């Protein structure tokens, strides 16, 4: 062991001599560095070595590199890099290799090595590290994507990046993320070639012309065909369309994707949602540059969007389809465009939807998400009888998630619509109607605290254990009555059941002893 350590120390003597000779380090500093390096080397040759020893050695060498960089900048000396920095970088890479060989499964260690190579611009070594890592961790798609991106961005090697994506697909033939990034890479490559071709033409240089098929994105289209042949779903196709839309030369490719979407996935609400929202993207003509003209044009486009949604509902009357339509109306309403028309459309959507729920009681579970979503948006824009009717039906839902959420929304709406008195009345009528959530009580507590003179007594009557404890805290506070704590504890023990009693008792004990 001593011989190996001695050999490694002797190998660094030339770089230490150079550091002293060029004035980057003093003789005393060089001796200190030699002593420190010897100690670190011995740690790596003990019978029992740890990952921490390797990391400490690597971090020490990186700190030396950073210090050299600062001193070079300070004294203005930029020579002898090969004898100094390159030697240290090579040694750090060697230590990383020894560490990753011993702890192959530690992905973070591999990523640390990759980060070091990128920072110090060791591109050849970077490619080797990725290759070694992927040989051990081929089951992780994210690592394949990272390696391919590195080849394209750090080394400007599009062919190597393509090769890595193809290898990744052998291990992960149905990975959406791999296909998405492969598709993006081909488009980026095409865009790069187009820019290079344009620059050469502007310089009037007679050089080799790139393939028109590649520059138009044909390779990306092949990736798209392969991907959609293995992975089905409107969401996946739309994700590829979103990527293609970033590039200004992909109109034909986008048209192809849209045609596939319309022909294969008319039974998916995402298709109708996309097609409807496309109506908003029409370019405003020169004749519509006035504010009135633009407002009129937006109104027409919004109307066309609604027509597409309504057409979709005729063939796809589902929860997801309704959610898309109502979300669109609420989103446009927030923009304060065509307020009255959109309010009426939301009203019609909710009324039709609730009628559908009445006729299909056995399908209530399937519709709980649209009920919650619609209620959340509806209460922000409406104070009419339709909202009250929708709330009452939601409160009677056999689905606990719906009933609990509606209680919270209804209480919130009551406070905004009628103030404290209306909120108090709503709480009184609902707080004994199970199921309920902690958020329901918490919201009422906040309402009570907003009053100049507030009382929490009616709020805590049927609340969870931690809210009983909060009640006690309030009475112990500046505006409370500490003498009531004993009665509150007695009431809590009487009202709570099962595990709630044990949890409350434990928390109460901690409160008394000052631990919470």
């Amino acid at each position: 062991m001593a011989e190996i350590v001695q050999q490694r120390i002797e190998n660094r003597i030339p770089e230490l001599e150079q550091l002293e000779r060029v004035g980057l380090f003093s003789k005393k500093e060089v001796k200190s560095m030699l002593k420190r390096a010897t100690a670190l080397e011995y740690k790596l040759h003990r019978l029992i070595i740890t990952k921490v020893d390797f990391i400490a050695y690597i971090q020490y060498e990186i700190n030396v590199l950073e210090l050299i960089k600062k001193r070079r900048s300070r004294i203005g000396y930029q020579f002898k890099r090969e004898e100094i920095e390159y030697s240290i970088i090579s040694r750090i890479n060697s230590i990383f290799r020894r560490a990753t060989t011993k702890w192959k499964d530690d992905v973070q260690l591999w990523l640390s090595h990759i980060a070091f190579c990128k920072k110090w611009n060791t591109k050849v070594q970077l490619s080797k590290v990725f290759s070694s890592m992927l040989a051990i961790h081929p089951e992780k798609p994210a690592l394949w994507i990272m390696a391919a991106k590195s080849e394209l961005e750090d080394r400007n090697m599009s062919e190597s990046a393509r090769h890595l994506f193809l290898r990744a697909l052998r291990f992960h033939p149905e990975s959406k993320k791999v296909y998405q990034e492969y598709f993006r890479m081909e488009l980026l490559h095409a865009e790069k070639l187009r820019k290079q071709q344009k620059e050469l033409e502007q310089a009037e240089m007679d050089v080799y012309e790139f393939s028109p098929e590649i520059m138009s994105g044909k390779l990306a289209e092949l990736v798209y065909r392969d991907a959609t042949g293995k992975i089905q779903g409107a969401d996946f196709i739309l994700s590829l369309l979103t990527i293609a839309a970033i590039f200004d030369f992909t109109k034909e490719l986008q048209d192809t994707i849209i045609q596939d979407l319309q022909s294969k996935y008319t039974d998916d609400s995402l298709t109708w949602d996309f097609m409807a929202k496309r109506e908003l993207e029409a370019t405003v003509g020169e004749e519509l540059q006035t504010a009135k003209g633009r407002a009129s044009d937006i109104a027409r486009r919004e109307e066309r969007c609604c027509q597409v949604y309504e057409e979709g509902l005729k063939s796809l009357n589902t929860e997801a389809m309704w959610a898309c339509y109502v979300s669109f109306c609420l989103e446009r309403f927030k923009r304060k465009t065509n307020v009255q028309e959109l309010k009426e459309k939301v009203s019609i959507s909710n009324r039709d939807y609730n009628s559908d729920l009445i006729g299909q009681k056995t399908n209530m579970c399937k519709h709980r998400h649209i009920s919650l979503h619609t209620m959340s948006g509806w209460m922000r824009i409406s104070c009419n009888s339709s909202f009250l009717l929708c709330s009452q039906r939601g409160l009677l839902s056999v689905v606990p998630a719906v009933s609990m959420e509606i209680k919270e929304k209804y209480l919130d709406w009551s406070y905004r619509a009628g103030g404290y008195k209306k909120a108090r009345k709503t709480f009184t009528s609902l707080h004994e109607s199970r199921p309920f959530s902690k958020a329901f009580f918490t919201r009422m507590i906040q309402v009570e605290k907003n009053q100049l003179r507030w009382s929490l007594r009616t709020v805590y009557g049927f609340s969870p254990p931690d809210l009983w404890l909060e009640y006690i805290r309030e009475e112990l506070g500046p505006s409370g009555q500490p003498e009531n704590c004993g009665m509150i504890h007695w009431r809590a023990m009487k009202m709570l059941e099962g595990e709630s009693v044990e949890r409350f008792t434990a928390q109460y004990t901690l409160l008394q002893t000052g631990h919470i």
Side-chain angles (χ1 to χ4, degrees), residues 211-455:
S211 169
E213 288 79 12
I214 295 178
M215 291 193 296
S216 63
K218 290 299 181 182
L219 287 178
E221 184 176 350
L222 291 177
V223 176
Y224 164 76
R225 293 296 183 192
D226 186 45
T228 53
K230 295 177 181 177
I231 303 174
Q232 305 298 314
D235 59 335
F236 179 60
I237 287 187
L238 285 171
S239 70
L240 297 179
L241 179 60
T242 301
I243 294 171
I246 298 173
F247 302 88
D248 57 7
F249 60 90
T250 61
K251 185 180 184 305
E252 291 185 6
L253 178 57
Q254 292 181 57
D255 291 340
T256 299
I257 297 174
I258 292 171
Q259 290 174 7
D260 289 347
L261 187 67
Q262 291 175 306
S263 62
K264 297 178 182 178
Y265 298 102
T266 53
D267 59 344
D268 195 313
S269 61
L270 291 177
T271 300
W272 290 101
D273 190 46
F274 169 76
M275 296 306 299
K277 289 178 179 177
R278 281 189 74 206
E279 299 295 333
L280 290 174
E281 299 174 2
T283 305
V284 178
E286 294 181 1
E287 69 280 3
L288 299 176
Q289 292 305 308
T290 65
K292 185 176 180 180
R294 289 193 296 271
S296 177
D297 180 68
I298 290 174
R300 286 193 296 270
R301 283 185 278 155
E302 286 178 343
E303 184 59 33
R304 289 197 296 269
C305 289
C306 292
Q307 290 173 359
V308 175
Y309 279 118
E310 288 164 8
E311 182 181 351
L313 285 169
K314 292 177 183 178
S315 59
L316 196 65
N317 191 12
T318 64
E319 166 197 343
M321 190 69 238
W322 278 105
C324 291
Y325 191 12
V326 173
S327 296
F328 166 77
C329 292
L330 291 172
E331 189 273 332
R332 298 308 296 178
F333 179 85
K334 291 176 185 177
R335 294 173 178 263
K336 302 182 183 300
T337 58
N338 304 316
V339 171
Q340 187 58 40
E341 291 84 350
L342 285 173
K343 186 182 293 186
E344 291 173 359
K345 287 186 179 295
V346 177
S347 176
I348 293 170
S349 298
N350 279 274
R351 185 167 60 251
D352 291 346
Y353 178 74
N354 282 284
S355 297
D356 181 59
L357 291 184
I358 295 171
Q360 302 180 39
K361 291 182 180 179
T362 57
N363 292 329
M364 284 293 284
C365 291
K366 292 169 59 179
H367 293 280
R368 64 183 180 274
H369 298 300
I370 181 65
S371 297
L372 300 179
H373 178 80
T374 302
M375 182 63 67
S376 178
W378 181 266
M379 70 178 191
R380 291 195 295 268
I381 66 173
S382 178
C383 296
N384 55 25
S385 58
S386 297
F387 171 78
L388 296 176
L389 178 62
C390 184
S391 299
Q392 291 164 3
R393 288 172 178 166
L395 293 171
L396 297 175
S397 172
V398 297
V399 183
V402 172
S403 179
M404 289 190 294
E405 183 79 0
I406 294 300
K407 285 187 179 72
E408 299 167 23
K409 302 301 182 185
Y410 191 28
L411 177 62
D412 201 50
W413 174 82
S414 297
Y415 183 55
R416 282 204 290 266
Y420 169 74
K421 290 184 178 180
K422 188 172 183 64
R424 183 70 174 271
K425 185 178 179 181
T426 299
F427 176 81
T428 302
S429 66
L430 297 179
H431 83 288
E432 294 187 24
S433 177
R434 294 177 182 272
F436 45 71
S437 63
K438 178 182 175 181
F440 175 68
F441 291 93
T442 303
R443 178 57 178 145
M444 189 59 203
I445 292 170
Q446 188 60 46
V447 170
E448 292 280 1
K449 287 183 176 181
N450 289 338
Q451 308 308 307
L452 291 177
R453 296 184 64 182
W454 54 274
S455 172

Side-chain angles (χ1 to χ4, degrees), residues 67-256:
L67 183 58
I68 292 172
K69 182 179 178 181
K70 290 180 181 179
R71 291 192 176 182
R72 278 186 180 279
S73 177
R74 187 180 65 191
I75 67 176
Y77 183 82
Q78 303 300 329
F79 305 101
K80 300 293 182 179
R81 291 184 179 275
E82 185 173 348
E83 293 88 343
I84 300 174
E85 279 94 338
Y86 293 175
S87 176
I88 298 174
I89 290 172
S90 177
R91 184 165 54 253
I92 294 174
N93 281 324
S94 176
I95 299 170
F96 263 121
R97 283 194 299 271
R98 291 161 64 187
T100 52
T101 299
K102 187 171 182 60
W103 291 282
K104 295 183 176 67
D105 294 333
D106 191 336
V107 175
Q108 188 57 51
L109 194 58
W110 288 101
L111 295 179
S112 296
H113 194 183
I114 289 168
F116 171 78
C117 292
K118 285 188 174 184
K119 181 174 181 179
W120 295 96
N121 200 30
T122 57
K123 296 181 179 180
V124 175
Q125 183 64 35
L126 177 62
S127 184
K128 291 179 179 179
V129 174
F130 269 119
S131 180
S132 300
M133 179 179 66
L134 291 174
I136 296 170
H137 297 283
E139 77 286 355
K140 294 179 171 60
L143 299 183
W144 287 101
I145 294 171
M146 187 186 299
K149 282 186 174 182
S150 176
E151 288 296 308
L152 184 67
E153 297 170 3
D154 298 326
R155 302 189 64 209
N156 196 25
M157 302 285 287
S158 58
E159 190 62 36
S160 296
R162 185 178 297 113
H163 179 66
L164 281 168
F165 274 120
L166 291 173
R167 286 181 59 199
L169 289 172
R170 294 174 192 168
F171 290 95
H172 309 281
E174 296 183 357
S175 172
K176 291 183 179 181
K177 191 63 178 175
V178 171
Y179 268 117
Q180 288 165 351
E181 295 303 324
Y182 186 14
F183 183 69
R184 190 195 310 272
M185 187 277 292
E186 291 294 1
L187 290 173
L188 285 170
H189 178 54
E191 182 181 51
K192 177 186 172 183
L193 294 182
R194 292 171 67 90
K195 288 181 178 179
Q196 289 179 353
Q197 187 72 43
K198 184 177 180 180
E199 290 172 358
L200 293 174
E201 290 174 355
Q202 290 176 345
E204 297 182 353
M205 297 178 64
D206 185 15
V207 294
Y208 171 77
E209 292 188 359
F210 301 112
S211 169
E213 288 79 12
I214 295 178
M215 291 193 296
S216 63
K218 290 299 181 182
L219 287 178
E221 184 176 350
L222 291 177
V223 176
Y224 164 76
R225 293 296 183 192
D226 186 45
T228 53
K230 295 177 181 177
I231 303 174
Q232 305 298 314
D235 59 335
F236 179 60
I237 287 187
L238 285 171
S239 70
L240 297 179
L241 179 60
T242 301
I243 294 171
I246 298 173
F247 302 88
D248 57 7
F249 60 90
T250 61
K251 185 180 184 305
E252 291 185 6
L253 178 57
Q254 292 181 57
D255 291 340
T256 299

